[in-house]
Every structure is written in structure tokens, then in C-alpha cells.
């Protein structure tokens, strides 16, 4: 299954997991301060949706400019693809509160940089380098959203790595929510985890307060629309046998 869209981490070291930041540069810097960039066995992963703020002060570009540098310099720095980055790759309109977010992002570039190009092209190039998934050897599978309810074999899943960005299964892993009629069930999660030989799944994307356990999935909220910002600080060498083992490694930021 080895390929550049799937990060596989070994059974040693540490991993911080942070979900959707949506242009919040303060939260981004706070999470970075918890990570030791110079320790190659200490990883940090941002699970997509770095961009598109719902607030006035959109710091998406500050985050991206830093994330581009860090991903070139530190192999232990990871950013997964979210539906908001994906929208720019496929040029698909995405709206929030009636605002066209692709248009807003382009305007932000022009406002902050003076010109739209070559920045927009460079950001999209960076989005295309983003992996979809991270797998740990102690049994966690991490993605922006999902899983897809259409996966009944490992072959069906692996097609995602050979398809383009409009692959419907990739679409599910970027957009599907647990509480939607187009979403997935607890059984879909269990079946998917069995197929890929993982024990539990971690996602962001959904609006929850702090975190929520849904079957074998943990939904985390690290910044966007939660009072208690929550992240995972995982010991990669520790065996995970139950959701409780993951819950014990959650950390909470309260101001
Ligand atoms: Mn999302």
C-alpha cells in the first residue's frame, strides 16, 4: 500500500494530532509550540482544512506560507488534505454563509500579496502534495473525514491512490459526516478498519464540542467552533486496545 498519499508511522516516537484550523494562526502557532521540530521521532499532523476562515481576520496565508516551509524542511511535519484545500485543486465552488470561499481566498491573496499569481498557483501546488491519510503502527487511521461507505475490499480502497481528485471514494473521505444522511454508520467504520487492518479512526471536519466517540471513530475539534480545544498527544510505542486508551492521551486547551 506504500505511496505518497499515505503516511505510515513506526512503533516508536510521539505524534500530535490537530484537526481543522480554518485560518486561525494563533492556534496553529500554539500547536507548533507543543512540538519539537528537531526530534525526528516526534511528529505533528494537521488533518486538513488549514484555510478559509469564518472570521474577519483570515490568516490562512500566514499558515500556508509557514506550512510550506516546514513541510520542505521537516519530515516529521505533516498536513493532510481537507475538503477546503481540495476545492481549490478541482476548482469546485464552496460556500459558507452565502460567501464563495474560492473567490474570497483569491481576494485575500491579492489583498495581502499585491498580486494573485504566482501565489495561487504555488498554494495549489502545495495542496497537491498533501497526503490523504496517516496510519500508525499501533493501529490508528487518521483522515480529514469519512470513511467511505462504499469500501468492501482492500482493492476498492486502494483505487483511491490511482484515481484523480474527482474519485468518489476520495470525495467521501473529504466530505462525509457521521450525522448526515449521506454519511456513514458505525458498521461502515468497523468494516473499513477491518479491511485496512487498523483498530480505530481519528477525523476532524465535523462540528463537535471537544471530541466525540462514534463507534470505533474519534471526532476531534482542535480549533474551529469548540469551546474546549482538543488534540491528541500519542505515544506511538504504546499498544492501543480500546477507545479508552486513546481518550487517556487527549489534551485540552482552556483559556
Ligand atoms: Mn472539512
Amino acid at each position: 500500500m506504500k505511496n505518497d498519499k499515505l503516511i505510515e508511522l513506526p512503533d516508536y516516537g510521539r505524534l500530535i494530532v490537530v484537526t481543522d484550523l480554518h485560518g486561525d494562526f494563533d492556534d496553529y502557532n500554539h500547536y507548533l509550540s507543543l512540538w519539537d521540530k528537531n526530534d525526528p521521532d516526534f511528529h505533528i499532523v494537521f488533518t486538513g482544512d488549514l484555510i478559509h476562515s469564518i472570521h474577519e481576520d483570515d490568516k490562512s496565508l500566514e499558515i500556508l506560507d509557514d506550512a510550506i516551509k516546514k513541510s520542505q524542511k521537516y519530515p516529521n511535519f505533516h498536513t493532510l488534505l481537507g475538503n477546503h484545500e481540495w476545492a481549490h485543486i478541482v476548482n469546485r465552488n464552496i460556500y459558507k454563509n452565502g460567501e464563495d470561499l474560492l473567490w474570497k481566498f483569491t481576494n485575500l491573496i491579492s489583498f495581502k500579496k499585491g498580486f494573485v499569481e504566482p501565489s495561487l498557483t504555488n498554494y495549489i501546488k502545495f495542496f497537491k502534495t498533501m497526503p490523504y491519510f496517516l496510519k500508525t503502527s499501533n493501529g490508528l487511521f487518521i483522515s480529514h473525514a469519512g470513511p467511505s461507505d462504499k469500501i468492501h475490499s482492500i482493492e476498492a480502497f486502494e483505487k483511491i491512490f490511482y484515481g484523480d481528485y474527482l474519485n468518489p471514494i476520495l470525495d467521501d473521505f473529504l466530505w462525509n459526516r457521521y450525522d448526515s444522511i449521506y454519511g456513514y454508520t458505525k458498521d461502515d467504520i468497523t468494516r473499513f478498519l477491518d479491511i485496512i487492518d487498523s483498530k480505530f479512526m481519528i477525523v476532524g471536519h465535523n462540528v463537535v464540542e471537544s471530541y466525540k466517540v462514534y463507534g470505533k471513530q474519534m471526532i476531534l475539534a482542535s480549533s474551529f467552533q469548540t469551546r474546549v480545544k482538543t488534540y491528541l498527544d500519542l505515544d506511538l510505542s504504546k499498544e492501543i486496545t480500546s477507545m479508552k486508551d486513546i481518550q487517556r492521551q487527549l489534551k485540552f486547551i482552556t483559556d
Side-chain angles (χ1 to χ4, degrees), residues 20 22 49 83-84 144 174 205:
D20 317 41
H22 287 289
D49 285 3
N83 55 310
H84 284 258
H144 181 67
L174 296 171
H205 183 61

Side-chain angles (χ1 to χ4, degrees), residues 55-102:
H55 306 293
E56 279 290 281
D57 192 21
D58 187 345
K59 293 275 176 69
S60 295
L61 306 187
E62 285 80 352
I63 294 178
L64 288 178
D65 290 343
D66 187 77
I68 288 170
K69 274 189 233 148
K70 290 226 165 39
S71 55
Q72 284 162 352
K73 200 165 168 199
Y74 302 103
N76 49 340
F77 176 89
H78 313 282
T79 52
L80 302 183
L81 184 70
N83 55 310
H84 284 258
E85 288 87 12
W86 174 88
H88 285 281
I89 294 175
V90 298
N91 202 20
R92 170 88 47 94
N93 286 341
I94 181 169
Y95 293 89
K96 202 155 230 168
N97 307 327
E99 280 186 308
D100 176 342
L101 298 183
L102 293 199

Side-chain angles (χ1 to χ4, degrees), residues 100-230:
D100 176 342
L101 298 183
L102 293 199
W103 177 83
K104 225 181 135 193
F105 184 77
T106 306
N107 264 6
L108 186 68
I109 297 173
S110 142
F111 175 70
K112 293 217 171 175
K113 310 270 181 187
F115 304 95
V116 172
E117 292 301 348
S119 298
L120 180 60
T121 301
N122 286 335
Y123 290 138
I124 293 174
K125 220 195 245 166
F126 175 55
F127 299 155
K128 287 182 177 171
T129 68
M130 289 175 164
Y132 308 152
F133 311 116
L134 186 150
K135 226 179 154 189
T136 70
S137 82
N138 61 353
L140 296 190
F141 183 89
I142 302 172
S143 58
H144 181 67
S148 174
D149 56 352
K150 301 180 185 79
I151 298 170
H152 292 270
S153 68
I154 188 73
E155 291 76 24
F157 173 64
E158 287 180 342
K159 272 192 193 134
I160 203 172
F161 300 120
Y162 306 102
D164 60 19
Y165 281 98
L166 296 172
N167 181 321
I169 291 179
L170 176 60
D171 212 85
D172 289 344
F173 278 98
L174 296 171
W175 290 93
N176 273 10
R177 296 182 200 276
Y178 76 99
D179 60 350
S180 142
I181 49 160
Y182 304 108
Y184 48 87
T185 63
K186 293 176 185 176
D187 289 342
D188 290 327
I189 297 169
T190 304
R191 189 182 62 245
F192 171 65
L193 288 169
D194 283 345
I195 287 169
I196 56 151
D197 199 23
S198 285
K199 293 176 186 165
F200 297 98
M201 192 171 175
I202 314 285
V203 297
H205 183 61
N206 300 269
V207 176
V208 296
E209 177 52 44
S210 182
Y211 76 97
K212 182 186 173 67
V213 173
Y214 181 69
K216 291 188 170 180
Q217 178 172 79
M218 179 181 276
I219 302 160
L220 263 187
S222 301
S223 172
F224 175 59
Q225 288 184 3
T226 179
R227 272 179 296 112
V228 180
K229 295 170 182 178
T230 306

Side-chain angles (χ1 to χ4, degrees), residues 10-15 136-140 199-200 233-242 244-251:
D11 62 353
Y12 54 86
R14 189 171 159 191
L15 169 67
T136 70
S137 82
N138 61 353
L140 296 190
K199 293 176 186 165
F200 297 98
D233 187 352
L234 281 166
D235 180 346
L236 293 171
S237 69
K238 233 184 195 164
E239 205 196 338
I240 294 167
T241 55
S242 67
K244 282 249 161 348
D245 291 337
I246 306 173
Q247 276 165 282
R248 269 191 282 272
Q249 300 183 74
L250 283 171
K251 295 224 171 120

